Amino acid sequence: MLRNYLLILLTMIGASAVIGCAPESTQTATADSKPATTETAAETVPEPVAQATPTPPRSPDVPYVPTPDVVVERMLKLAGVKKGDIHYDLGSGDGRIVITAVSKFGALRGTGVEINPELVTQAQENAKKAGVGDRAKFVNQDLFQSDFSDATVVTLYLLPRINLKLRPQLLRQLKPGTRIVSHDFDMDDWKPDKVEVVQGPQREHTLYLWVVPKKVPPELLKEVPGIDN
């Protein structure tokens, strides 16, 4: 576990040197995507709530590290994404998780929240190439100022301190029953409902699933002291 954690940190540190640059390839992110069917196109898809919130200019909290495609699919399977779900990916990078959620798992709508405008542009282009530009939206925002209260599924690939800082916001905004899946990092004393380990191309990846409870323990709603604002 310690070796995996060090590998994750080294990967993210290396990625920070090229933050804002496109990853080596996004082909696999959209290779299995299918154009929207006539039935899907006929559906009335509401605009994502998050579009109404502006993003202040600041540096990203987390360097961009693409999630391997095998891990993307396992994250969405663990979350139980299905037809009619409203999916948000917080820190959406090149858009591969959102695109896969709508194209392969049938989510009604996916929204990626990303603070790096170059990655937002890239994700929008990837969604159009995959034929899901009408259902996969990407917004240039600070996730801490975003409204994702209409989500039924949320995915994350952040860092431990960012997860903890985000936790009260998730629990205040999201409805009971909403599924949250985090790649590699947990949320400290909010224990996950399920944990899975996935073998990726280079290492093992740990996935954590939480389901928002009807009654949230008050201690989980408190801001965690010692986390940078």
Side-chain angles (χ1 to χ4, degrees):
M1 182 65 78
L2 178 59
R3 180 175 179 272
N4 258 352
Y5 185 75
L6 291 172
L7 281 172
I8 295 163
L9 292 180
L10 286 171
T11 302
M12 287 190 163
I13 290 168
S16 65
V18 292
I19 189 69
C21 299
E24 291 182 5
S25 172
T26 58
Q27 182 177 356
T28 55
T30 60
D32 296 328
S33 303
K34 299 178 182 177
T37 63
T38 303
E39 179 184 354
T40 301
E43 291 180 304
T44 301
V45 182
E47 288 299 312
V49 174
Q51 285 188 328
T53 310
T55 299
R58 68 178 184 84
S59 299
D61 293 297
V62 179
Y64 171 51
V65 179
T67 298
D69 294 310
V70 64
V71 180
V72 170
E73 294 213 11
R74 286 290 290 274
M75 289 177 73
L76 296 172
K77 285 179 181 177
L78 181 59
V81 177
K82 60 188 182 300
K83 186 175 180 179
D85 270 325
I86 297 174
H87 169 240
Y88 279 72
D89 187 31
L90 305 183
S92 52
D94 67 0
R96 63 184 64 196
I97 300 180
V98 173
I99 292 167
T100 303
V102 298
S103 66
K104 295 189 70 174
F105 287 78
L108 175 64
R109 188 185 77 229
T111 301
V113 179
E114 173 60 54
I115 201 169
N116 185 326
E118 293 181 15
L119 288 173
V120 171
T121 299
Q122 184 183 345
Q124 290 169 338
E125 292 172 354
N126 290 339
K128 288 178 183 177
K129 290 177 184 176
V132 293
D134 58 330
R135 292 189 293 138
K137 306 294 183 183
F138 299 91
V139 292
N140 181 208
Q141 287 181 6
D142 180 343
L143 61 88
F144 291 108
Q145 296 186 12
S146 296
D147 182 350
F148 37 81
S149 56
D150 58 335
T152 57
V153 175
V154 175
T155 51
L156 315 168
Y157 187 18
L158 302 170
L159 286 171
R161 67 178 181 85
I162 305 301
N163 278 9
L164 282 182
K165 184 177 177 181
L166 187 62
R167 186 178 72 186
Q169 184 179 347
L170 290 166
L171 289 170
R172 288 191 183 102
Q173 287 196 24
L174 297 175
K175 300 177 291 293
T178 302
R179 294 94 73 197
I180 303 168
V181 173
S182 175
H183 177 189
D184 274 335
F185 303 112
D186 63 12
M187 295 201 204
D188 197 41
D189 52 346
W190 186 18
K191 300 307 178 186
D193 292 276
K194 192 172 182 180
V195 179
E196 286 190 4
V197 177
V198 183
Q199 181 60 54
Q202 297 181 337
R203 65 174 179 87
E204 288 185 339
H205 301 252
T206 304
L207 308 180
Y208 301 88
L209 168 71
W210 296 265
V211 179
V212 176
K214 290 182 179 179
K215 186 175 182 181
V216 178
E219 61 270 19
L220 296 182
L221 294 171
K222 296 178 181 178
E223 303 296 330
V224 179
I227 294 179
D228 296 334
N229 293 322

